[in-house]
Amino acid sequence: SLAFTASTVVGERLLDTLTLLAFLGGALLLLPPADTQSVVTVFGYTVSSETLTRVGGKFGIASLFMLLLVLGMMSPTCRRLIGRGLTLLPGTRSRLRSWVSAIVAEFERGLTALRQLRTLALASAFSVVIWLALAVTTCVVAKAIPGIDLNPLQAVVVTSIAVVVSALPAAPGAWGVFEAGCFLALALLQIPVEPGPAIAFAFGAHVCSYVPTVALGAAAALRLRSARSTGGTGGRAGAMAGVGQRNG
């Protein structure tokens, strides 16, 4: 159901966002103070440290909201309070109450996996591995561009800021905004880079993190379609499709 699916998305986004913010905060604490006055304009997008703070704050608020939602739906007391609140609604009480109760039950069912410590730990580990893989990609691309040399902590910061800034309204795939985030991160870290190498680095990092996941997602979708047409479950292909849609 839609409620069941939405609950799994909420849980996955919560783990992703918390991991990303933890990486960004930890790396910035270990690095020298950043230049908080940096402002860059790329492809019509202007981003600054103020933009980063604002978007990061929204990420934090969204994480808190999702965390409260998850904890609330997993709490029998909260679900009972929702049920009691439904009895106070005017009009078609019984129909509306049963409808909302069914949605709450489905949402709670989708969060069942988070009650299993092993599953939660495994999902968290996958989230860490995926973000670290993106940071490694950023570091490798930087090594390939003359004039840019990022250490691992700086690569984590660049990746995290580019992803956070990508939350701004943009074209599909965050093309343009991701690049602006990379430029802002380089400016914040006070890494002198010429415009040409900076563009090559940002575009290369975006392509190397975006294209493989889209390709995997497309391949998994085709495999899932084939499995369904032949009567198979396609469970593994469905999982691959979810991974492939991360950067979409």
Side-chain angles (χ1 to χ4, degrees):
S1 66
L2 179 60
F4 177 84
T5 305
S7 66
T8 65
V9 173
V10 168
E12 190 268 345
R13 289 290 90 184
L14 176 62
L15 291 177
D16 255 1
T17 305
L18 291 177
T19 302
L20 181 66
L21 292 178
F23 277 6
L24 178 58
L28 287 176
L29 285 175
L30 296 174
L31 289 170
D35 180 9
T36 57
Q37 304 301 319
S38 299
V39 179
V40 297
T41 301
V42 182
F43 304 134
Y45 296 101
T46 299
V47 295
S48 63
S49 56
E50 181 183 354
T51 304
L52 179 63
T53 301
R54 185 171 65 251
V55 177
K58 291 182 178 179
F59 258 68
I61 293 174
S63 297
L64 179 60
F65 173 77
M66 287 187 292
L67 179 60
L68 293 176
L69 180 63
V70 169
L71 293 177
M73 289 296 100
M74 294 175 65
S75 168
T77 302
C78 182
R79 295 199 299 273
R80 282 197 300 268
L81 290 175
I82 293 176
R84 291 177 182 176
L86 294 176
T87 62
L88 302 177
L89 294 175
T92 56
R93 294 183 180 178
S94 59
R95 179 181 300 178
L96 181 61
R97 185 163 59 249
S98 62
W99 179 67
V100 176
S101 297
I103 291 178
V104 171
E106 280 292 280
F107 199 93
E108 188 272 337
R109 187 171 69 89
L111 298 173
T112 303
L114 297 183
R115 291 199 184 99
Q116 303 168 7
L117 184 59
R118 182 177 180 276
T119 301
L120 181 60
L122 187 60
S124 300
F126 272 122
S127 187
V128 169
V129 168
I130 287 172
W131 288 119
L132 284 179
L134 286 178
V136 170
T137 299
T138 301
C139 193
V140 171
V141 172
K143 298 289 185 183
I145 305 296
I148 302 180
D149 187 15
L150 300 179
N151 62 43
L153 285 178
Q154 290 173 330
V156 169
V157 171
V158 172
T159 301
S160 301
I161 290 178
V163 174
V164 170
V165 172
S166 297
L168 294 171
W175 293 101
V177 180
F178 183 95
E179 284 72 14
C182 285
F183 294 171
L184 175 63
L186 293 174
L188 288 172
L189 294 172
Q190 303 179 46
I191 299 176
V193 182
E194 294 295 325
I199 293 175
F201 162 68
F203 186 74
H206 199 173
V207 169
C208 289
S209 64
Y210 183 81
V211 172
T213 53
V214 172
L216 285 172
L222 292 175
R223 183 177 177 183
L224 179 61
R225 181 179 179 182
S226 175
R228 284 180 173 174
S229 64
T230 57
T233 59
R236 182 178 301 177
M240 290 176 61
V243 173
Q245 292 174 9
R246 274 182 181 273
N247 284 355

